[in-house]
Amino acid sequence: MGRRVAVNLRERRKARNMSLDQLAVASGVSRAALSQIETQKSNPSLGVMWKIAVGLGIPFSELLGGNTRVRRFSVEASRRFCAPPTGAWKVGR
């Protein structure tokens, strides 16, 4: 999975004409960490991958390669842990 994340990260970043520095600012993940992930020298945690996806403006599942099971998880996680417009936290269904 590390290779797939590395390839997807680099492809999505380049498609948006973003430098590592720009993505670091947008995601809150250091430039050094992003470089290590892209070159497969480090495997990111789920939290770091989530920050990167947000920084790129892509669904979390796209960073992981669009696996259906992962996509379903990320959609469910978003529904459960994102605040609705009223500001109250939504827990469960």
Side-chain angles (χ1 to χ4, degrees), residues 20-21 24 29-39 41-42:
L20 285 171
D21 290 320
V29 177
S30 74
R31 181 193 190 287
L34 291 168
S35 176
Q36 288 182 345
I37 295 164
E38 281 193 1
T39 57
K41 293 179 181 168
S42 148

Side-chain angles (χ1 to χ4, degrees), residues 3 6-9 13 27 32 37 41-42 54 58 61 74 76-77 86:
R3 182 182 188 290
V7 168
N8 288 335
L9 168 55
R13 180 177 63 79
S27 67
I37 295 164
K41 293 179 181 168
S42 148
V54 169
I58 62 172
S61 60
S74 64
E76 284 299 314
T86 62

Side-chain angles (χ1 to χ4, degrees), residues 34-52:
L34 291 168
S35 176
Q36 288 182 345
I37 295 164
E38 281 193 1
T39 57
Q40 301 178 50
K41 293 179 181 168
S42 148
N43 289 318
S45 67
L46 287 174
V48 169
M49 287 189 288
W50 194 273
K51 287 180 175 183
I52 293 168

